[in-house]
Amino acid sequence: MEVIICPSAERANLLTAQLIADTIQAKPNAVLGMATGRTPEGAYARLAQLHKEADLDFSGVTTFNLDEYIGIPATHPQSFRACMERDLFSKINIKRENTHLPDGMAPDLTAECARYEEAITAAGGIDVQLLGIGLNGHLAFNEPLSSLASRTRAKALTPETRRQNAPAFGSLDEVPTRAITMGIGTVLESRWAILLATGSNKAEMILKAVEGPMTAVVTASALQMHRRCTVIVDEPAAEWLQMTEYYRWVFANEPEWAPYRDLVLGSSR
Ligand code: PGA
């Protein structure tokens, strides 16, 4: 795991978008794992801008989203399909047939989950998986006590998660109670995982996921087993971390990060 502490949420979003853009430049038919929620919105806005102003080409890109609610149609404004359409897909030149989300209206959910896993495998696996973290430490909708070896399946959402997502729905009663989510095992197979977290309300779970013991109580801590995981945080989300001096040193000195130092640290250096 590597942790990059950015001076602001805006810089964290810019860095996240740039890492994804550079992945696409290096591999025009890249397979991207996408996340929804409030966290990635800024990074998606930047990717849309890079498409518009710098001709970032998504025509060969394939996407797989982490999860989708069960029981609301794709046309529902809060379905993750609709969120992706609004925030990103409608603003870039991606082919819709290359964008994948689980179907939360599928009559046979078990078959749908198996189909989703097979589609990821058939696409060659995920090159870079963008992730957020829930206020209970969840990764995608892998709620506490999810198996750290889990695959795509239906999960019941915790009351805390439903409360976290209620503002978008207007009321708690409107928030679906279940979702299809990639499993932790599925996420761990991605070739690169980028966990983006901004804001002080994420500080406790970032501490637990990054420096705490690996535990199914905080499913994001399973990223400690990921072969290549980059955690991008702003200062408030990094506030509880203990080893920040080391993380800052690595970002400031390791050659791998040289192309990104100005973008992240800019005039704050
Ligand atoms: P958020 O959700 O980006 O809206 O904070 C993240 C998550 O619950 O995984």
Side-chain angles (χ1 to χ4, degrees):
M1 240 183 199
E2 284 181 304
V3 180
I4 301 176
I5 301 170
C6 300
S8 66
E10 195 197 344
R11 298 290 178 99
N13 294 338
L14 287 179
L15 174 63
T16 302
Q18 197 58 49
L19 293 175
I20 293 170
D22 289 350
T23 300
I24 298 168
Q25 298 281 15
K27 186 179 177 186
N29 63 345
V31 179
L32 306 179
M34 312 309 270
T36 45
R38 282 179 296 274
T39 307
E41 286 171 3
Y44 291 160
R46 176 64 178 162
L47 283 173
Q49 188 187 18
L50 288 172
H51 168 67
K52 196 168 166 212
E53 293 171 9
D55 289 329
L56 180 62
D57 182 11
F58 288 81
S59 63
V61 168
T62 297
T63 62
F64 286 91
N65 267 75
L66 286 168
D67 42 21
E68 179 59 283
Y69 290 114
I70 291 172
I72 58 171
T75 51
H76 188 291
Q78 294 311 323
S79 75
F80 288 159
R81 164 63 75 179
C83 293
M84 289 307 299
E85 199 55 48
R86 217 164 30 234
D87 292 343
L88 188 64
F89 296 158
S90 63
K91 300 176 178 166
I92 58 176
N93 65 330
I94 196 160
K95 296 187 181 109
R96 288 305 183 283
E97 65 267 29
N98 290 348
T99 64
H100 304 272
L101 287 92
D103 178 2
M105 295 295 279
D108 182 342
L109 294 175
T110 307
E112 171 59 11
C113 295
R115 184 199 65 79
Y116 203 65
E117 287 275 341
E118 283 159 19
I120 294 171
T121 304
I126 291 170
D127 291 303
V128 51
Q129 174 68 60
L130 181 58
L131 297 158
I133 186 170
L135 295 178
N136 63 4
H138 72 198
L139 204 61
F141 274 139
N142 292 283
E143 299 288 34
L145 303 193
S146 289
S147 161
L148 300 186
S150 51
R151 312 300 309 188
T152 301
R153 70 219 181 287
K155 280 296 287 184
L157 304 180
T158 63
E160 187 177 22
T161 294
R162 294 185 64 238
R163 276 194 296 275
Q164 187 185 335
N165 293 356
F169 282 85
S171 90
L172 184 58
D173 288 346
E174 301 292 316
V175 184
T177 54
R178 304 174 78 218
I180 293 178
T181 179
M182 277 189 209
I184 297 292
T186 322
V187 170
L188 291 181
E189 281 172 11
S190 57
R191 285 185 273 282
W192 185 16
I194 298 178
L195 172 61
L196 173 64
T198 52
S200 58
N201 65 343
K202 298 292 172 72
E204 180 184 357
M205 286 304 155
I206 284 294
L207 168 70
K208 289 184 172 173
V210 173
E211 295 178 350
M214 194 169 70
T215 167
V217 177
V218 178
T219 56
S221 67
L223 289 173
Q224 294 172 26
M225 288 285 287
H226 198 286
R227 71 186 106 172
R228 183 181 180 206
C229 178
T230 303
V231 179
I232 300 175
V233 284
D234 65 355
E235 293 282 352
E239 203 174 343
W240 290 30
L241 291 171
Q242 301 297 298
M243 300 198 338
T244 54
E245 189 187 356
Y246 176 60
Y247 308 146
R248 290 185 209 279
W249 190 91
V250 169
F251 184 70
N253 291 281
E254 286 294 286
E256 173 191 5
W257 298 116
Y260 301 99
R261 272 176 216 137
D262 272 347
L263 179 73
V264 171
L265 301 173
S267 58
S268 73
R269 259 202 277 191

